[in-house]
Amino acid sequence: MAGLVVVFDFDKTIIDCDSDNWVVEELGINNLFTQLLHTLPWNSLMDRMMTELHNRGKTIEDIEECLKKVPLHPSIASSIESAHAFGCDLRVVSDANVCFIETILKHHGILDCFSEINTNPSLIDEQGRLRILPYHDFNTSSHGCKICPPNMCKGLVMEKIRASVSADGKKQLVYVGDGAPDFCAGLKLEGGDVLMPRKDFPICDLISTNPLLTKAKIHEWSDWEELGANILSTVNRSFIRDESSSNVKTDQLVPVDCKYQNGSISATAHGALHLPVSPPH
């Protein structure tokens, strides 16, 4: 088993949209969502939206069918499958939730490629309603990070991942993400690690504002063809130490855009409300 661990954010990284926004828009509760947007933390708001869907007669099956419509670019799917086939340890760190992530990954046939999904818990209660809970119970105590939302600090999650993979003898971490909390996760990477930020997204703004804080090598990406090439190049360098094998030739592709990425609620994606320029330490 190789020593490479690749950790992915989910929304706007594996998929080109926010899965929460997708469900809100597709199932017609955008108006209520917008009304309540600034009254609740995002995670609590999504739990409230699941109650609204239940009250309108929507079932967990309706939600799952909606999620199965989320597009997945073939380049990211194939790079995930290839990295898994090479023996890489693939994981997810996301502020979405278990139900949404597992439904989408399973539908596209890549759920089994991931050894671990770190995200907000979800469950179906006695009434058949989907409940979305916080990863970190901020009602009892704060995680203390000024970059991340109250329900999940990705930096703390990455500290746990590093501790676990170090115990297993694995050496190199790769982190792929787009948002401000992904910057927090990237701060936990070391000199031999790789950070893959999505170009022109909040993570790149924070890296530029705080250039001395990131120790890892930085490989930016703009679309999924480029991201796939970056991932496979890193895998090649890690496993066979042959620089020539990393010269992946790709034709430019337009990524599959999420239908609602530029919609009325997308500007308030999870991390976008928390954009300080100082690290959480």
Side-chain angles (χ1 to χ4, degrees):
M1 185 61 126
L4 188 64
V5 182
V6 185
V7 183
F8 293 86
D9 173 40
F10 186 71
D11 294 321
K12 300 182 182 177
T13 297
I14 291 180
I15 60 173
D16 191 17
C17 65
D18 183 290
S19 55
D20 290 342
N21 285 1
W22 180 275
V23 170
V24 166
E25 293 274 9
E26 285 280 331
L27 296 183
I29 52 174
N30 184 36
N31 288 340
L32 179 62
F33 182 93
T34 303
Q35 292 172 22
L36 298 178
L37 180 59
H38 298 295
T39 67
L40 293 169
W42 184 286
N43 178 254
S44 304
L45 178 58
M46 283 307 299
D47 183 57
R48 172 68 179 84
M49 291 300 98
M50 295 305 101
T51 296
E52 180 65 21
L53 288 177
H54 178 74
N55 292 341
R56 295 187 184 189
K58 297 295 185 181
T59 65
I60 182 64
E61 289 78 17
D62 293 327
I63 296 171
E64 289 174 344
E65 287 305 309
C66 169
L67 289 164
K68 291 175 183 178
K69 298 176 184 177
V70 173
L72 185 77
H73 196 283
S75 290
I76 186 63
S78 62
S79 61
I80 286 171
E81 290 171 342
S82 296
H84 175 67
F86 265 109
C88 293
D89 182 352
L90 308 183
R91 307 185 185 207
V92 171
V93 176
S94 168
D95 195 15
N97 66 81
V98 170
C99 175
F100 287 13
I101 294 174
E102 289 191 350
T103 298
I104 294 170
L105 293 180
K106 183 176 181 181
H107 176 69
H108 290 283
I110 56 174
L111 176 60
D112 290 342
C113 292
F114 295 91
S115 67
E116 182 180 68
I117 296 176
N118 300 272
T119 189
N120 298 300
S122 58
L123 57 87
I124 301 173
D125 67 13
E126 317 82 57
Q127 287 79 39
R129 173 185 55 173
L130 180 64
R131 299 296 310 276
I132 299 174
L133 308 175
Y135 179 88
H136 179 91
D137 186 2
F138 56 88
N139 292 313
T140 59
S141 63
S142 169
H143 54 56
C145 175
K146 295 181 180 180
I147 297 177
C148 296
N151 59 288
M152 185 182 205
C153 173
K154 289 190 175 183
L156 291 178
V157 178
M158 283 300 292
E159 287 181 345
K160 292 181 181 179
I161 290 177
R162 178 170 291 285
S164 68
V165 301
S166 297
D168 292 337
K170 297 171 183 175
K171 298 179 181 179
Q172 187 180 29
L173 283 171
V174 177
Y175 189 91
V176 188
D178 68 282
D182 300 312
F183 173 73
C184 182
L187 294 178
K188 306 302 179 181
L189 299 178
E190 299 177 352
D193 298 328
V194 178
L195 177 61
M196 296 185 183
R198 188 174 182 183
K199 191 175 180 180
D200 298 326
F201 276 71
I203 186 173
C204 281
D205 294 338
L206 286 170
I207 291 172
S208 297
T209 306
N210 305 273
L212 301 180
L213 295 181
T214 305
K215 299 176 183 177
K217 301 173 185 175
I218 298 175
H219 295 166
E220 293 183 352
W221 59 280
S222 298
D223 58 46
W224 282 263
E225 186 112 333
E226 186 175 12
L227 175 58
N230 282 348
I231 292 172
L232 295 181
S233 295
T234 301
V235 169
N236 286 336
R237 285 193 294 267
S238 176
F239 285 101
I240 58 180
R241 306 298 180 186
D242 183 356
E243 287 295 330
S244 64
S245 69
S246 67
N247 296 327
V248 182
K249 302 297 184 183
T250 59
D251 296 324
Q252 186 69 28
L253 277 183
V254 178
V256 179
D257 292 323
C258 175
K259 184 175 179 182
Y260 299 107
Q261 183 179 355
N262 296 317
S264 59
I265 62 178
S266 62
T268 52
H270 311 170
L273 301 179
H274 309 272
L275 287 172
V277 295
S278 59
H281 318 304

